[in-house]
Amino acid sequence: MDEALLRGLTPSVLAVIVRRGADFAAAEDAVQDALVEALRVWPADPPRDAKGWLVTAAWRKFLDQTRADTARRRREDRVEEEPAPGPAPAVDDTLQLYFLCAHPSLTPSSAVALTLRAVGGLTTRQIAQAYLVPEATMAQRISRAKRTVADVRFDRPGDVATVLRVLYLVFNEGYSGDVDLAAEAIRLTRQLAAAIDHPEVSGLLALMLLHHARRAARTAPDGGLVPLAEQDRGRWDTRLIAEGVGILQAALARDRLGEFQAQAAIAALHADAPTAAETDWVQIVEWYDELARLTDSPVVRLNRAVAVGEADGPRAGLAALAQVDTALPRHTAVAAYLHERDGDLTAAARLYAEAAHKAPNLAERDHLTRQAARLNARRGNHQS
């Protein structure tokens, strides 16, 4: 039994059942029942048309559920609408599921979980492990999300920006448990890029590929973070870099710039530099200016301050940082870095230690703590 085949067909089959009139929760239950039936039947009697078989089986399961539910008698007029056996239309309905799962009424965490469940085909257990929460907690989150979108019309126009934001959130979760969410996000974004011709979809895919290309170099053998400037660039995946740059160039040529294309352009400039010292920081600052114009994001202005510090010197970087809200996460860490570049080791060590206390995760906290210890040791050596 090819479980990968079943997983790949699940979103499209689910979309067909929803389009035929089932609400989202009932449709997913029916599709899951059909998948169980397929696992039982197919080894001995594989169908000629796997999707058609699943659509027919899932619709029958839905109708059985409907008939058994007296509160849904109004659905009985659909009983005769069972699709005839045979090949299912070669229409990819996965795209509609993206828009449904990224519905604006859902919280970001619920939208991500529902996307992984309905479009990604991951089990509730896998999603729970990836987010390091109990399976029952994740099951409740997904159930609430399904109830929220149950009455949403499937033909309602979707918001591409919201879908992309959800996929970007999935990617940023990285890896934990037995599910590689970064790779899963790339897989889903590839699906979306194949289904919709949109430069920002291409921009997001390029951004993911360019960041993912550096993955092997981001951590030391002891699990510690390795800053970009210190990474072994020989460990970067040149195949992914070449693919990402090619996708980005095609998107930029359409002259419909968006934030993900601008972010990908910055990542491409980092990837193009043979060494950290050869990074084209002037051009990176220009792209951050474009990104700030597109998003007006304080996080963009924070990252721009780092780039300005590299392009024009740490004093210029600190001046740019002074225009950014000090309450922003990682503001203190950036200040520490720029003060170190400016030669003020006392202030830098204090700020690194302060940033460590504010760090959002253990790996970042350990990295910042080591930075503070390193500078304190240098100051001690100079004094002795």
Side-chain angles (χ1 to χ4, degrees), residues 116-360:
L116 290 171
R117 184 71 181 90
V119 187
L122 302 184
T123 65
T124 302
R125 179 187 61 81
Q126 288 175 314
I127 302 170
Q129 286 185 341
Y131 279 88
L132 304 178
V133 299
E135 184 174 351
T137 300
M138 184 55 68
Q140 291 175 351
R141 183 181 301 175
I142 294 173
S143 294
R144 285 195 299 269
K146 288 192 291 187
R147 287 196 298 270
T148 299
V149 301
D151 297 325
V152 175
R153 290 186 58 82
F154 211 44
D155 57 357
R156 177 176 175 176
D159 178 8
V160 176
T162 302
V163 175
L164 295 180
R165 187 66 54 198
V166 169
L167 291 173
Y168 192 47
L169 287 171
V170 176
F171 181 79
N172 284 336
E173 288 299 325
Y175 174 85
S176 57
D178 63 354
V179 179
D180 186 338
L181 289 181
E184 183 65 17
I186 291 172
R187 186 183 75 84
L188 293 174
T189 306
R190 286 190 189 279
Q191 280 187 8
L192 187 62
I196 183 173
D197 182 20
H198 193 293
E200 271 295 81
V201 178
S202 298
L204 178 58
L205 179 56
L207 176 64
M208 289 179 175
L209 294 173
L210 289 164
H211 279 314
H212 206 54
R214 303 199 300 260
R215 176 172 178 166
R218 281 201 188 100
T219 53
D222 63 358
L225 294 179
V226 180
L228 177 61
E230 300 172 19
Q231 289 176 13
D232 178 359
R233 300 187 178 216
R235 300 183 66 195
W236 290 1
D237 189 328
T238 55
R239 180 187 60 83
L240 286 182
I241 291 173
E243 183 185 3
V245 169
I247 292 171
L248 172 63
Q249 289 175 338
L252 291 175
R254 300 177 64 176
D255 199 24
R256 290 170 53 193
L257 185 63
E259 61 173 299
F260 289 117
Q261 294 170 74
Q263 288 188 57
I266 293 169
L269 286 168
H270 284 298
D272 187 54
T275 66
E278 296 173 87
T279 304
D280 189 345
W281 285 106
V282 172
Q283 193 173 169
I284 287 176
V285 171
E286 292 173 355
W287 275 111
Y288 271 122
D289 289 339
E290 287 287 345
L291 194 53
R293 180 182 61 81
L294 289 166
T295 66
D296 192 30
S297 165
V299 174
V300 169
R301 291 195 292 274
L302 179 68
N303 291 331
R304 179 184 178 277
V306 176
V308 169
E310 299 291 348
D312 300 327
R315 296 284 175 91
L318 287 167
L321 184 64
Q323 306 302 314
V324 181
D325 185 357
T326 57
L328 198 67
R330 298 188 174 90
H331 184 286
T332 307
V334 170
Y337 173 74
L338 290 172
H339 276 289
E340 180 183 357
R341 287 280 318 282
D342 195 38
D344 189 346
L345 302 189
T346 300
R350 174 180 56 80
L351 288 167
Y352 275 130
E354 184 181 333
H357 288 295
K358 301 176 181 177

Side-chain angles (χ1 to χ4, degrees), residues 34-49:
L35 294 175
V36 171
E37 184 74 5
L39 289 169
R40 185 181 68 81
V41 172
W42 285 11
D45 185 20
R48 285 179 296 179
D49 174 29

